[in-house]
Amino acid sequence: MDYAATLLSKLPGTSPRRSRDIKALVETLESYMPAELIERVMKAYEFGAIAHEGQTRKSGEPYISHPVAVAQTLADMHLDSQTIVAAILHDVVEDTDVPIAELEDQFGTEVATLVDAVSKLDQMHFTNRAEAHAESFRKMMLAMIEDIRVILVKLADRMHNMETLGAMPREKQARIARETLEIYAPIANRLGINHMKVALEDLGFRYLYPYRYAVLQRALKKSKGSQRQIVKRISESILKAMEEEGITGEVRGREKHLYSIYRKMAGKKRILNDVVDVYGFRIIVDDVNTCYRVLGIVHGLYKPMPGRFKDYIAIPRVNGYQSLHTTLFGPKGLPLEAQIRTTDMDRVAESGVAAHWQYKAIDKSTATPQRRARDWLARLEEIQRTGTSEEFLESVKVDLFPDKIYVFTPKGDIMPMPKGATIVDFAYAVHTDVGNRCVAGKVDRTLVPLRTVLKNSQTVEIVTARGAKPNPNWVSFVATAKARSAIRQYMKNMRTTESVDLGKRLLDRSLKDLGSSLRKIGKVRLREALDELDLVGATDLYAQLGLGERLAPLTARFLIGEKGEQTEPKSASLVIAGTEGMVVSYAKCCYPIPGDEVMGYLSAGRGVVIHRNSCGNLINFRKQPEKWLSVGWEEDIDRDFSSQIQVETVNKTGVLAEVAAVIADSQSNIEEVSVNIRHQDTSAMTFLLQVKDRTHLAHIMRNVRKMQNVKSVSRDSA
Ligand code: MN
């Protein structure tokens, strides 16, 4: 069946060149794919040709020739029909006005997802030259990909763009060639797709260093004529020796890959002839056993070079490559490099991970793309078991199944972040000061809250404000150790400042009780006292007082020089304004609020804890009077305090909501509710509320008490 001819006849402006390309593609597909799938590919071709109609490549060819060439590369690798269809359509969304939804309608979700992912990769451009940057760029690309076929299409796309790079201006050639060598060839290598790696490297080399490439190529050509003869002769003698042993197989002369020759020369500082005059052979046989037998045969034919034998069958390379390598002294002492492997190993060596997406008639492929990539890795792991490169394998794994995401700074630098990282993590990753002062973030120029979790390839910007402070709650959602420890450190420092303030106030007050003051005591006595207490400075003393590690009345008497009996602190009390920060806290047993009669308990390390006088915990007051201080409230405190009430209601559905509504109407927020059903007909609800003061609380309680289903309201003073 000639699909190409039928379809082409329907298309406008069909050129002979175009029909040749598509004919070759169909021929390749016919060698491994059933007709109904090829029909899908042809439908994609028709769709793509119409979408790209009128567009041309830089070379002047109709644009559709490019996606067809990309599809051809992938068809040569026998990839499945989805990949081929996606390859033909890969530039449709990017370069024409066909929406992705249209592709989904016509070709299904799988193809649409592949095309969409390829288009997203196209939008990323590698600019920076730094090696570390190239590494993270590669990782970012792999991290963005959920389906390896996306990168296969991208690599084939890059191969064709490199093949047609001659039509581009010189400057662009160099940029694209560098990107190919630094990004795409290493990815192909990582995935074990050798022929793509070799093609990308040679093309990249050719356009990045045109002069060096030309020199090498000329030198190689010169030696080639005689080389062919020698290679032919040696091949024949190897084949003959194999036949004598009853072994069937294939012997191929191997052409050197220019970029590898260049790298050998540059790396090992060797002269051209040393590198070029090496003859390469590949011997392909049926099974592993035969590989070792053939090794024996070639070692019998030519003397092996000591120290050059490598058994990559027993210990494969990390990307799954397996082969026996040996170097021999050939005729006239010429070095011969031989690679011996099985057909299977040869296939893996050439296509790596791609082998797992090759079309197979039987398997209807229920496996997800991730599953298949994992299968490939599992296979690698299995053959690696004897190997020593676990660490490297680990890094392949991390690249394919990353635990990191990659985001951009506004300047375009790439920042790796752990999965789950938030705006706050990013801010601290930029700088501790940025983290400490951040108030919001912008993701792709849209304002977002600080706890927003970042996603791959977003551009993240931090909004800071002068005087902004970290919030202790951030610790509950940050994902990085750096952010966590920076927030804790800041809190610790802040606590110190606050406790120094409070400690100074406590000491002032106690001194006043004794008719003295810091000024009256004087610097000399203070220094003397600090030395006696083994403290470096007054700040340390205040901090200890503020944190309750030392008692103010005793310290006051000590400063005055009065030793002797301890008297109860009297009169003037410490005034609480509610703004003391972390060194003054409000007891959770009795929830004191402004207007309540209260006492302060100096709790070592925590500062002053305020209790209501009616609180049961005040019994301690008698046991350790020196730890309790009288405190009072500042007038007009403008903040909310937590308070608790108990409401007893009729046990009916909807009562809780009614009570909650009344509380909300009384300008209070509910922090927590718990309900206990005591009897069949009564419920006891406990509300934790935010109130301004006693008056506010009384107002709320009055409103609740008036409710029809409410039996009683009381304030907890447990
Ligand atoms: Mn393309």
Side-chain angles (χ1 to χ4, degrees):
M1 258 182 284
D2 196 349
Y3 304 98
T6 348
L7 265 173
L8 288 168
S9 63
K10 293 184 204 155
L11 284 174
T14 305
S15 74
R17 170 67 214 255
R18 203 199 263 180
S19 63
R20 216 186 312 134
D21 289 346
I22 190 68
K23 259 185 189 152
L25 176 61
V26 170
E27 257 164 46
T28 311
L29 294 175
E30 275 170 345
S31 73
Y32 73 95
M33 208 181 260
E36 69 266 25
L37 291 179
I38 301 178
E39 214 153 341
R40 279 172 51 84
V41 174
M42 289 316 297
K43 186 183 159 200
Y45 172 72
E46 188 182 12
F47 187 95
I50 293 168
H52 288 295
E53 187 61 48
Q55 298 176 345
T56 51
R57 296 276 290 171
K58 268 263 155 33
S59 59
E61 286 189 273
Y63 196 89
I64 190 70
S65 65
H66 163 67
V68 168
V70 173
Q72 180 67 54
T73 302
L74 298 166
D76 289 340
M77 294 162 75
H78 290 202
L79 289 176
D80 63 15
S81 66
Q82 315 278 11
T83 314
I84 307 296
V85 169
I88 291 187
L89 301 171
H90 82 271
D91 278 331
V92 161
V93 174
E94 182 91 334
D95 295 341
T96 76
D97 35 82
V98 174
I100 195 84
E102 175 74 17
L103 286 191
E104 195 168 349
D105 271 4
Q106 297 282 328
F107 301 98
T109 315
E110 204 173 328
V111 167
T113 312
L114 288 173
V115 172
D116 191 42
V118 174
S119 309
K120 288 217 172 88
L121 281 191
D122 282 341
Q123 284 156 17
M124 289 176 54
H125 288 289
F126 174 72
T127 45
N128 198 312
R129 287 182 178 195
E131 183 49 40
H133 192 72
E135 175 73 25
S136 30
F137 194 86
R138 282 199 297 268
K139 284 188 173 165
M140 177 152 107
M141 286 191 88
L142 290 170
M144 282 175 65
I145 290 163
E146 282 174 5
D147 189 330
I148 296 277
R149 288 177 297 179
V150 172
I151 203 76
L152 299 180
V153 174
K154 188 65 206 163
L155 289 171
D157 176 46
R158 179 49 62 118
M159 265 173 69
H160 187 249
N161 285 339
M162 289 303 293
E163 280 158 11
T164 52
L165 201 58
M168 289 284 177
R170 176 72 197 111
E171 222 182 77
K172 218 168 174 186
Q173 286 178 356
R175 183 183 67 73
I176 294 174
R178 183 184 297 280
E179 188 180 79
T180 300
L181 287 176
E182 290 183 0
I183 307 295
Y184 292 97
I187 287 178
N189 184 41
R190 250 279 138 125
L191 299 178
I193 314 169
N194 187 56
H195 71 99
M196 279 188 160
K197 175 203 144 198
V198 168
L200 290 170
E201 281 185 347
D202 274 355
L203 288 161
F205 176 44
R206 175 169 160 199
Y207 287 104
L208 189 60
Y209 302 114
Y211 180 71
R212 294 176 216 187
Y213 182 89
V215 169
L216 260 188
Q217 201 188 30
R218 219 176 302 129
L220 269 181
K221 229 180 219 157
K222 233 190 256 167
S223 64
K224 246 180 201 157
S226 54
Q227 213 177 14
R228 283 229 176 92
Q229 282 305 313
I230 301 173
V231 167
K232 200 171 163 234
R233 241 186 29 234
I234 297 171
S235 296
E236 280 166 3
S237 64
I238 296 175
L239 261 180
K240 198 169 150 246
M242 281 165 62
E243 264 163 37
E244 278 164 15
E245 294 288 320
I247 296 169
T248 48
E250 195 189 334
V251 180
R252 297 182 209 150
R254 208 157 47 87
E255 298 241 322
K256 280 278 175 175
H257 145 220
L258 274 183
Y259 190 61
S260 78
I261 294 174
Y262 168 69
R263 255 201 320 228
K264 259 187 200 159
M265 289 174 66
K268 296 184 180 164
K269 306 246 183 307
R270 305 226 304 243
I271 60 160
L272 184 64
N273 279 349
D274 281 2
V275 184
V276 171
D277 286 340
V278 174
Y279 298 87
F281 295 90
R282 186 167 298 155
I283 307 168
I284 318 270
V285 292
D286 290 336
D287 54 59
V288 173
N289 244 328
T290 316
C291 290
Y292 290 101
R293 282 176 65 203
V294 169
L295 179 74
I297 292 169
V298 296
H299 280 184
L301 275 178
Y302 304 102
K303 205 172 143 225
M305 214 177 262
R308 295 293 295 273
F309 169 66
K310 289 198 184 80
D311 188 347
Y312 292 119
I313 289 181
I315 303 173
R317 282 189 180 154
V318 281
N319 56 15
Y321 176 86
Q322 285 183 294
S323 230
L324 298 176
H325 285 193
T326 187
T327 307
L328 312 155
F329 292 105
K332 293 178 200 160
L334 286 173
L336 308 179
E337 280 180 4
Q339 300 176 344
I340 307 165
R341 60 206 194 203
T342 66
T343 317
D344 253 12
M345 291 173 187
D346 194 47
R347 192 175 56 99
V348 169
E350 287 307 310
S351 41
V353 71
H356 286 255
W357 274 272
Q358 282 166 352
Y359 174 80
K360 284 187 203 85
I362 335 116
D363 106 344
K364 274 277 162 245
S365 150
T366 42
T368 63
Q370 289 85 347
R371 172 82 223 147
R372 294 210 212 174
R374 272 177 211 284
D375 285 348
W376 176 63
L377 259 181
R379 212 189 98 91
L380 284 192
E381 249 162 347
E382 201 179 308
I383 56 182
Q384 280 309 320
R385 206 158 289 157
T386 45
T388 49
S389 24
E390 273 157 47
E391 217 171 284
F392 197 85
L393 184 68
E394 202 50 44
S395 79
V396 176
K397 200 187 286 181
V398 166
D399 278 3
L400 286 178
F401 306 103
D403 52 359
K404 283 200 172 96
I405 58 156
Y406 297 84
V407 293
F408 292 104
T409 68
K411 281 184 189 157
D413 291 331
I414 298 173
M415 295 260 275
M417 301 293 300
K419 270 189 180 162
T422 61
I423 298 285
V424 173
D425 291 293
F426 182 88
Y428 277 105
V430 173
H431 196 280
T432 306
D433 284 344
V434 176
N436 283 341
R437 289 183 299 116
C438 68
V439 290
K442 281 183 186 171
V443 164
D444 297 332
R445 278 175 287 284
T446 310
L447 218 53
V448 296
L450 287 173
R451 60 187 319 141
T452 308
V453 173
L454 300 174
K455 294 199 196 96
N456 250 320
S457 76
Q458 288 177 326
T459 299
V460 185
E461 196 179 338
I462 297 299
V463 182
T464 57
R466 214 186 318 175
K469 285 187 240 172
N471 182 325
N473 285 338
W474 292 354
V475 176
S476 68
F477 63 75
V478 294
T480 55
K482 179 167 187 200
R484 202 170 301 124
S485 70
I487 296 164
R488 293 215 169 111
Q489 186 57 44
Y490 188 93
M491 292 304 146
K492 210 174 135 203
N493 292 343
M494 200 154 93
R495 225 175 122 94
T496 310
T497 320
E498 285 168 354
S499 51
V500 167
D501 272 7
L502 178 70
K504 190 148 188 269
R505 281 170 62 197
L506 288 171
L507 186 61
D508 272 344
R509 199 204 49 165
S510 294
L511 285 169
K512 208 185 272 170
D513 284 350
L514 298 169
S516 180
S517 70
L518 272 173
R519 190 142 32 104
K520 278 188 193 158
I521 282 167
K523 278 188 186 145
V524 180
R525 171 61 199 148
L526 182 63
R527 183 66 256 169
E528 200 180 278
L530 289 172
D531 288 344
E532 280 176 63
L533 294 171
D534 210 13
L535 291 170
V536 181
T539 327
D540 298 327
L541 177 65
Y542 300 148
Q544 287 186 351
L545 288 165
L547 287 171
E549 281 160 3
R550 196 177 285 281
L551 297 173
L554 297 181
T555 309
R557 275 195 292 276
F558 175 72
L559 281 174
I560 294 167
E562 224 180 77
K563 289 177 189 152
E565 88 287 8
Q566 300 172 8
T567 49
E568 235 177 77
K570 42 186 182 292
S571 64
S573 43
L574 177 73
V575 176
I576 300 296
T579 53
E580 287 79 6
M582 284 177 281
V583 285
V584 170
S585 55
Y586 305 91
K588 296 236 178 348
C589 45
C590 54
Y591 290 107
I593 55 175
D596 286 337
E597 299 280 335
V598 285
M599 289 285 276
Y601 177 75
L602 269 167
S603 160
R606 288 180 55 203
V608 181
V609 184
I610 310 296
H611 289 265
R612 279 156 68 191
N613 282 2
S614 57
C615 176
N617 282 325
L618 242 71
I619 336 164
N620 289 329
F621 174 67
R622 273 176 245 297
K623 290 184 197 154
Q624 303 169 293
E626 74 286 355
K627 288 212 161 184
W628 288 88
L629 28 123
S630 77
V631 291
W633 299 98
E634 178 106 57
E635 275 176 43
D636 301 323
I637 296 176
D638 188 25
R639 59 158 274 191
D640 286 334
F641 292 82
S642 296
S643 183
Q644 198 170 285
I645 58 168
Q646 285 229 333
V647 182
E648 213 180 23
T649 69
V650 174
N651 190 9
K652 261 170 71 176
T653 45
V655 178
L656 175 61
E658 286 170 22
V659 177
V662 169
I663 291 172
D665 282 347
S666 315
Q667 274 69 53
S668 169
N669 289 321
I670 299 171
E671 288 173 28
E672 249 176 66
V673 189
S674 61
V675 181
N676 286 310
I677 299 176
R678 280 189 186 153
H679 316 289
Q680 245 182 338
D681 50 352
T682 328
S683 293
M685 305 175 183
T686 307
F687 290 87
L688 188 60
L689 309 170
Q690 287 187 337
V691 299
K692 296 248 168 276
D693 51 22
R694 259 179 96 86
T695 323
H696 185 197
L697 181 64
H699 170 72
I700 298 167
M701 288 171 72
R702 204 157 44 237
N703 288 349
V704 173
R705 198 172 286 127
K706 276 191 284 192
M707 294 174 66
Q708 205 190 347
N709 291 321
V710 171
K711 292 183 165 180
S712 70
V713 183
S714 65
R715 187 173 174 198
D716 245 353
S717 57

